[in-house]
């Protein structure tokens, strides 16, 4: 299996989580038509009021890398920067299961 | 949105990760026909050779809880126990995005 997966943990500055969620939902809209992006789910943490988790699944690493060259995606990443205190990606290799 | 999501981090005993992956893939097969289970993706960590990550998405918390009463799922959980050194669930509340 050649798919690329990642959990993106984003730590918002205090009080900025909801603004960050809105911007990430805009990013998800941009990715709706992007071929190769299979999952881009925005979650909030049940335990930490500042944390947003993004569930990503891509056809392959190339599709993921290409998205980071997309003008609209780059503009949204810039828009998010002032809202983000930290980011911790968890890189995964999917092997199978339901929904993949 | 009423969906229930979780990242399940499973830490295998040294040398047991692949056996754990196989058993979790069997669990995913069981869940294939389970209504209410939308995603159950088995991933291995790119950085830690003992870690397996499960991406879960359920229609709601009740569907998730019901799965833990299913005989076949319970049997597989028992089968996994000796392979697992530790488990750390990350509980999430999905808010939107692509693929949900």
């Amino acid at each position: 299996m050649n798919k690329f997966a990642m959990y993106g943990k984003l730590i918002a500055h205090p009080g900025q989580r909801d603004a960050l969620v809105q911007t990430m939902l805009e990013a998800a809209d941009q990715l709706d038509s992007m071929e190769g992006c299979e999952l881009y789910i925005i979650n909030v943490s049940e335990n930490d009021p500042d944390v947003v988790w993004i569930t990503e699944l891509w056809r392959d690493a190339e599709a993921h890398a290409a998205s980071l060259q997309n003008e609209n995606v780059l503009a949204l990443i810039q828009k998010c920067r002032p809202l983000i205190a930290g980011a911790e990606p968890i890189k995964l290799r999917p092997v199978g299961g339901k929904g993949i």
Side-chain angles (χ1 to χ4, degrees), chain A:
Chain A
M1 181 169 288
N2 207 19
K3 300 206 176 188
F4 175 88
M6 188 167 76
Y7 303 150
K9 179 179 181 178
L10 301 176
I11 303 134
H13 286 295
Q16 296 299 327
R17 186 198 71 184
D18 292 345
L20 179 56
V21 163
Q22 284 315 310
T23 310
M24 295 309 293
L25 286 171
E26 280 178 52
D29 285 344
Q30 293 293 334
L31 296 171
D32 223 22
S33 56
M34 190 170 287
E35 200 252 329
C37 174
E38 299 181 4
L39 291 176
Y40 197 87
I41 300 175
I42 320 301
N43 308 273
V44 294
S45 164
E46 288 279 14
N47 305 317
D48 187 327
D50 296 327
V51 171
V52 176
W53 285 95
I54 317 294
T55 306
E56 297 192 42
L57 179 66
W58 296 79
R59 181 192 56 231
D60 49 38
E62 292 71 27
H64 175 251
S67 74
L68 300 178
Q69 310 299 323
N70 176 290
E71 269 177 28
N72 297 328
V73 171
L74 286 173
L76 283 161
I77 288 172
Q78 287 308 324
K79 193 174 166 187
C80 283
R81 273 197 205 287
L83 306 173
I84 296 174
E88 297 165 23
I90 298 177
K91 291 204 174 153
L92 308 166
R93 185 163 52 80
V95 293
K98 181 173 186 176
I100 190 167

